[in-house]
Amino acid sequence: MYEALAKRTSTLVIDGRAVAGERGTLPVIDPALGEPFAECPSASSAQLDAAVAAANRAFAQWQHSSCEERRALLLKIADRIEHNAPELAEIIVREQGKPLALAQMEVGGAVAWTRATAALELPVEVIEDSPTKRIELHRRPLGVVGSITPWNWPLMIAVWHIMPALRAGNTVVIKPSELTPLNTLRLVELIAEVAPPGLVNVVAGGSAIGRDMSGHAGIRKIVFTGSTPTGQDIMRNAAGTLKRLTLELGGNDAGIVLPGADIDAIAEGVFQSAFLNMGQTCAALKRLYVHESQYEQMCARLVAVAARQKVGNGLEEGVSFGPIQNRDQFELVCELVDDARAAGARILCGGEPLPGKGYFYPPTIVADVTDGTRLVDEEQFGPVLPVIRYATVDEAVLRANASDNGLGGSVWSSDIEQARAVAARLECGTVWINGHAEVLPHCPFGGCKMSGFGVEFGLEGLLEYTRPQLFNINRPAP
Ligand code: NAD
């Protein structure tokens, strides 16, 4: 498989045709090996223009397609993804690094999300229905949607952007992260097998193509998932053409374990939601606040779960913990842990990169660390969890909210009513009770504060790909 992937030439897809990148190719690095294993085509600005023009031509027809046609296309796409699941999962492991079982879950999630999006209904709201008037609110598609995605859940996030856009009658130009482009290039190839030309186009490349997209006059909306500084840049560039935006940005989610929680029962769940995808998940649990009465017990349980992880190449049997996806992120994690250590923190497990060329960093639990330390204040986006001691619940809530981010948060307790009261005080888009980081196709998901705005998923997510059009009908006198 290594051989097959390395030899395979990936192409852009513009107007239904496979084309090479006019800016040549970019190397794609396997994070388990720390070296390139494939090449990705790099699109030029002229190719972006061609993709946007093709998407606008396709929109002329697709905007008038019926719900049944849109639904049928999405179901066909879901079948194509499912049929090619083993290949997509292996591409994800090689370019992203996650263990194969998790990559298979990502592909399974992509199929499920596509089918769930197919099943959504766009409502027509009747606002008035009187003898003299009927007023209806319809939802119309926007035009070409530009999608810009990150490297952590590359296939899943591409599907999160593309499917509701198509379901609502839009067309798409997608730019995957230059660090994990291959699965999206393959996805769009598969889509092109069943979709009209120009409906979904892919232009791979670096930030320059992303910037061209956010300023492009032919694109009506940008849906972006990635870091807050990039989201801010997109917002600035989009102002000139007054684009609609959905910005799913960074998070620094706090989890609060309430006094008296059943630590043995929750430890595994806390660990998994902090270290999901080696911690490289926007809404992973990134700061854990534990009452002083149970602090040492919680730390010990987390260390025990960490000890059960098998770190290694995601393609190897039994590996549950892969590498960090890229060198910059790997170096940031090293830096944040070293900074915490220098500030007097106790590194309970992990805490040093593994030798070799791959970007391996073992699951790391850091105790005796508090707010004001970089590891707590910044988004680590990697396999390290700071565990922070608190004395009163009011203090924990205050500290959880003392962040610029507002993506998710969680409260862990056997007393649901008490947890609910604390949850209501957290400043974030989703609060989980006895869980964290779970996203579902029928539940709106999005952040507040510097974590962005807009939501994805469910009806509310679908409506973000539409504009309202009001029909104000005056009935003739009888
Ligand atoms: P990033 O912002 O560096 O890059 C994301 C994408 O934006 C890439 O495709 C990149 O090429 C492109 N890009 C870079 N500069 C650009 C610019 N100026 N204009 C337009 N496009 C540009 O993010 P990343 O490092 O790939 O992803 C990690 C971040 O994403 C973390 O902060 C994480 O929390 C966040 N994230 C958020 C969510 C969410 O749903 N809220 C989900 C996943 C990841």
Side-chain angles (χ1 to χ4, degrees):
M1 189 66 196
Y2 274 29
E3 285 291 294
L5 259 182
K7 283 195 195 125
R8 195 172 180 284
T9 311
S10 294
T11 56
L12 310 174
V13 177
I14 297 174
D15 205 9
R17 283 190 297 276
V19 288
E22 285 176 355
R23 282 197 180 124
T25 58
L26 297 168
V28 184
I29 291 172
D30 179 335
L33 307 178
E35 55 188 42
F37 73 99
E39 298 283 322
C40 152
S42 182
S44 66
S45 301
Q47 287 182 306
L48 171 64
D49 290 343
V52 174
N56 271 304
R57 283 194 299 276
F59 180 67
Q61 301 281 322
W62 186 247
Q63 64 176 321
H64 302 300
S65 57
S66 66
C67 282
E68 288 68 35
E69 282 174 84
R70 295 177 193 172
R71 185 164 291 144
L73 178 70
L74 261 61
L75 293 177
K76 274 190 206 160
I77 294 173
D79 291 346
R80 296 306 297 139
I81 301 173
E82 195 167 48
H83 188 73
N84 292 275
E87 182 196 359
L88 286 165
E90 292 216 31
I91 297 175
I92 292 172
V93 178
R94 289 233 59 196
E95 65 181 347
Q96 205 285 326
K98 67 188 53 151
L100 184 59
L102 193 58
Q104 287 165 340
M105 266 177 55
E106 181 167 355
V107 180
V111 173
W113 237 278
T114 303
R115 292 191 176 135
T117 309
L120 290 172
E121 291 290 345
L122 272 177
V124 176
E125 191 185 337
V126 178
I127 293 174
E128 182 179 332
D129 194 15
S130 65
T132 55
K133 263 191 187 304
R134 183 171 166 97
I135 303 182
E136 301 166 350
L137 187 64
H138 293 256
R139 298 287 175 167
R140 305 292 180 216
L142 301 168
V144 177
V145 171
S147 150
I148 303 177
T149 57
W151 48 259
N152 57 342
W153 291 93
L155 184 76
M156 187 69 121
I157 294 175
V159 160
W160 288 350
H161 290 185
I162 293 171
M163 301 313 160
L166 295 182
R167 177 63 190 86
N170 304 281
T171 58
V172 177
V173 175
I174 184 168
K175 190 204 87 63
S177 167
E178 58 275 39
L179 300 171
T180 51
L182 303 179
N183 65 82
T184 306
L185 293 170
R186 184 70 184 119
L187 170 70
V188 178
E189 253 176 30
L190 295 172
I191 293 175
E193 290 172 8
V194 292
L199 205 73
V200 181
N201 308 268
V202 56
V203 285
S207 56
I209 280 289
R211 297 194 97 242
D212 286 347
M213 285 172 73
S214 56
H216 205 290
I219 295 179
R220 296 304 327 144
K221 172 192 170 98
I222 295 280
V223 51
F224 171 71
T225 303
S227 66
T228 299
T230 304
Q232 290 172 297
D233 193 50
I234 287 172
M235 196 168 174
R236 277 189 291 270
N237 286 336
T241 46
L242 220 59
K243 285 185 180 56
R244 284 164 187 260
L245 297 173
T246 298
L247 298 179
E248 296 285 4
L249 309 178
N252 194 6
D253 292 12
I256 302 176
V257 179
L258 292 185
D262 184 345
I263 301 292
D264 287 337
I266 64 173
E268 179 80 32
V270 168
F271 181 90
Q272 295 302 344
S273 55
F275 289 91
L276 176 61
N277 200 28
M278 284 51 73
Q280 303 163 120
T281 298
C282 55
L285 199 170
K286 295 188 176 126
R287 301 174 280 154
L288 184 67
Y289 289 86
V290 183
H291 189 256
E292 56 195 10
S293 61
Q294 295 179 298
Y295 186 80
E296 294 301 339
Q297 188 193 358
M298 183 82 226
C299 287
R301 295 298 180 279
L302 290 172
V303 169
V305 185
R308 290 203 296 273
Q309 306 309 311
K310 183 172 175 212
V311 183
N313 187 321
L315 288 175
E316 280 166 23
E317 191 74 19
V319 163
S320 63
F321 216 85
I324 294 177
Q325 199 279 326
N326 60 78
R327 177 158 285 284
D328 285 354
Q329 198 62 39
F330 173 77
E331 283 171 359
L332 175 70
V333 167
C334 295
E335 206 178 292
L336 293 180
V337 175
D338 290 348
D339 178 75
R341 193 189 339 257
R346 263 189 302 152
I347 313 296
L348 300 180
C349 60
E352 293 290 349
L354 300 185
K357 276 172 43 185
Y359 310 140
F360 290 105
Y361 202 96
T364 298
I365 308 289
V366 179
D368 295 347
V369 64
T370 191
D371 314 48
T373 311
R374 285 186 64 196
L375 178 58
V376 179
D377 295 353
E378 294 178 25
E379 182 187 31
Q380 70 274 47
F381 214 63
V384 46
L385 179 67
V387 187
I388 305 148
R389 194 183 263 109
Y390 73 81
T392 69
V393 172
D394 282 350
E395 173 207 334
V397 170
L398 209 67
R399 290 160 74 181
N401 286 337
S403 165
D404 287 340
N405 293 113
L407 193 55
S410 60
V411 186
W412 301 76
S413 172
S414 311
D415 182 338
I416 299 297
E417 283 318 305
Q418 198 195 354
R420 191 191 263 283
V422 174
R425 295 166 65 192
L426 293 183
E427 295 166 4
C428 53
T430 302
V431 196
W432 291 271
I433 292 176
N434 296 324
H436 204 120
E438 184 188 30
V439 290
L440 297 163
H442 54 294
C443 299
F445 171 79
C448 61
K449 303 204 273 186
M450 296 299 274
S451 293
F453 52 78
V455 292
E456 296 187 273
F457 319 146
L459 178 60
E460 282 175 71
L462 184 64
L463 293 183
E464 295 222 0
Y465 291 88
T466 67
R467 61 180 172 84
Q469 185 184 47
L470 195 82
F471 273 25
N472 182 332
I473 305 162
N474 291 299
R475 299 190 199 275

